[in-house]
Amino acid sequence: MSDPLMPPVMQMPARQGLVARVQAILLKPAETWDLVAVEPDSIPSIFTGYVVPLAAIGPVCGVVVALLFGHFNLLWGVIAGIVGYVLSLGMTYVMAFVVDILAPSFDGRRDLLSAFKLVAYTGTASYVADICWLLPILGGLLALAAFIYSIYLFYLGLPKLMKNPAEKSIVYIAVVAICGLFMVGLIWMVVGGITAVGVGAAMLGGHPVSVNSITVHDKTGSVTINAAQAVAAANQIAAQASQAHPAGAPATPLKIADAQAMLAMMPPIFDGATRADTTVSSGGVAGMAAATAEATYSVGGGTVHLKIADMGSMAGVGAMANALNVNSTTSSAGGYETIKTDGNRITTERYDTAGKSGEYDLVLNGRVAVSADGSHVDMATLKSLVDEIDIGKVDALTH
């Protein structure tokens, strides 16, 4: 005989079916998160039984829309859909990993299964809303509404699954969101540039076959996703978050470059212009630390803004960008943009010829960066100013 005092959550099945779970998490999120928190489950079962089928909605609808409106030929559209699908599935694991390793920084409990539950079920609204892309006029608005509702779902589920104090959820979500936006950007960058792709892996019998890299080419250049570098970058993000506040241990501050020392590396005078409007900043929140030094120079009739930065705790994100090995060039009558990856260096060059404004950035080891942006100056001036900084010495400040 059942105990009438037993909480209703304990009387429910071990895990709801796909349709029932979708309905429950969307219509009764608070009660469903209570169920999710205690139900016996595993990452593989959630992945194959929930994430895999729902994540397919977006790529399938995207291919259909692209074909209907003539954006792709059949082969191209299918390849783009497959790559987007695979990257989306991978993102679920990466984001669960990020949620898990950040938990101690917000007085939460590290539990990878709970983190995976949180990420997988939070995505429900966006997965279902992907059907709306078949509606050209309303699709974008409905997708935005689904995104906002997904944030609400995450907010409700976070303290229930990761056991962090509710008052720390907002900052926790903000840090996770930064990583999430970065990963979404990578997915769109890769999928959006596809004209051909070498597929070196497949899911055979439910077991993944690993590959070293995938290269995507188009008329602007190429992106080579290095699997080993990507894994190393993910591990770096984990290590830095754990170092910021490891579970069961006092906080261990990450060594951040001295902002004043970075400022001292900027030339007092450049091309006859005196360094002005200098600012420095360092520190962080919730264990996420960084440092910057900035200054401006009035060169001729233009202005140049110089910045040196140590990305600190977010260096793993920079390393993930390095793992993409992007090399591309786009140009038009109005200007151009070039991205070049050379080993552990990434340079980005953007210039608007009409407005005589542009930006030149140099990133080393995914962590330290020197950038110059200006108006009414030429690109040679921006490059020359960045070259005044020994980025190797900037990097040495972080060791």
Side-chain angles (χ1 to χ4, degrees), residues 277-290:
D277 301 326
T278 59
T279 60
V280 294
S281 64
S282 62
V285 62
M288 310 302 288

Side-chain angles (χ1 to χ4, degrees), residues 101-158:
I101 54 100
L102 286 176
S105 297
F106 302 95
D107 296 334
R109 178 197 65 186
R110 289 197 61 171
D111 183 341
L112 185 57
L113 174 58
S114 292
F116 194 85
K117 288 178 177 180
L118 181 65
V119 173
Y121 295 132
T122 291
T124 303
S126 294
Y127 289 146
V128 174
D130 281 338
I131 299 175
C132 298
W133 288 114
L134 295 174
L135 306 173
I137 297 178
L138 298 178
L141 293 176
L142 294 175
L144 177 61
F147 174 74
I148 295 173
Y149 193 66
S150 294
I151 296 176
Y152 173 67
L153 291 178
F154 194 88
Y155 175 77
L156 288 181
L158 188 60

Side-chain angles (χ1 to χ4, degrees), residues 178-240:
I178 292 172
C179 297
L181 289 173
F182 174 78
M183 293 304 298
V184 169
L186 294 186
I187 289 176
W188 279 106
M189 182 177 66
V190 173
V191 175
I194 289 177
T195 56
V197 61
V199 179
M203 297 299 291
L204 301 177
H207 300 284
V209 179
S210 62
V211 294
N212 292 324
S213 64
I214 296 176
T215 299
V216 178
H217 299 278
D218 75 355
K219 62 183 179 181
T220 68
S222 66
V223 176
T224 299
I225 306 173
N226 187 300
Q229 283 184 292
V231 171
N235 288 335
Q236 185 177 349
I237 293 173
Q240 288 169 337

Side-chain angles (χ1 to χ4, degrees), residues 56 65 166 228 239 245 252 256 272 285 316 359 391:
V65 170
H245 197 155
T252 304
I256 300 297
V285 62
E359 180 179 352
I391 196 169

Side-chain angles (χ1 to χ4, degrees), residues 266 291-295 305-309 369-373 385-386 389:
M266 296 182 173
T292 61
E294 303 178 54
H305 175 246
L306 179 64
K307 181 177 181 179
I308 304 177
V370 180
S371 65
D373 63 88
L385 181 53
V386 170
I389 310 300

